[in-house]
Amino acid sequence: MSIFAAGVEQLRQGNRAEAIDTFDRVLQLDPDCADAYGHRCVARHQTGDRLGAIADCHRAAALYLEQGNLKQHQYARKMLEKLQKIGTSIS
């Protein structure tokens, strides 16, 4: 299992703090991994770190655009809009 996949599994199991640490490791190895920013965004939001989630989502959206992944870019932009509204949750 890759480090990224381990982070996804930790997040799926509700181990958000562990997932954040794992996605941090992924980003140390590959700072342009948009998916790691996106998943860390969700984990941060679920732990109450709204500003961290917004920063990660913004970075993910920018990377997706740079990498030509327009579908994921659109998804990240929609998530960013939701995060910027107070009281909105992401599942």
Side-chain angles (χ1 to χ4, degrees):
M1 178 182 297
S2 71
I3 298 172
F4 177 79
V8 171
E9 182 61 21
Q10 290 163 341
L11 183 58
R12 189 188 68 75
Q13 292 180 3
N15 300 323
R16 293 168 186 92
E18 288 179 35
I20 290 167
D21 290 342
T22 301
F23 293 126
D24 287 346
R25 288 182 24 221
V26 171
L27 291 166
Q28 286 175 349
L29 297 171
D30 182 4
D32 293 331
C33 183
D35 288 338
Y37 281 105
H39 282 78
R40 191 174 71 176
C41 163
V42 172
R44 283 183 164 177
H45 175 71
Q46 291 176 349
T47 62
D49 180 6
R50 185 171 164 270
L51 294 179
I54 288 171
D56 279 351
C57 194
H58 190 274
R59 183 67 181 138
L63 285 169
Y64 284 130
L65 185 61
E66 287 174 20
Q67 295 164 2
N69 190 337
L70 298 182
K71 182 177 180 179
Q72 285 300 102
H73 170 73
Q74 289 282 14
Y75 179 75
R77 294 296 304 168
K78 287 179 185 177
M79 280 183 58
L80 188 56
E81 288 174 20
K82 288 181 181 181
L83 283 169
Q84 291 173 333
K85 294 179 183 176
I86 296 183
T88 300
S89 67
I90 297 176
S91 345

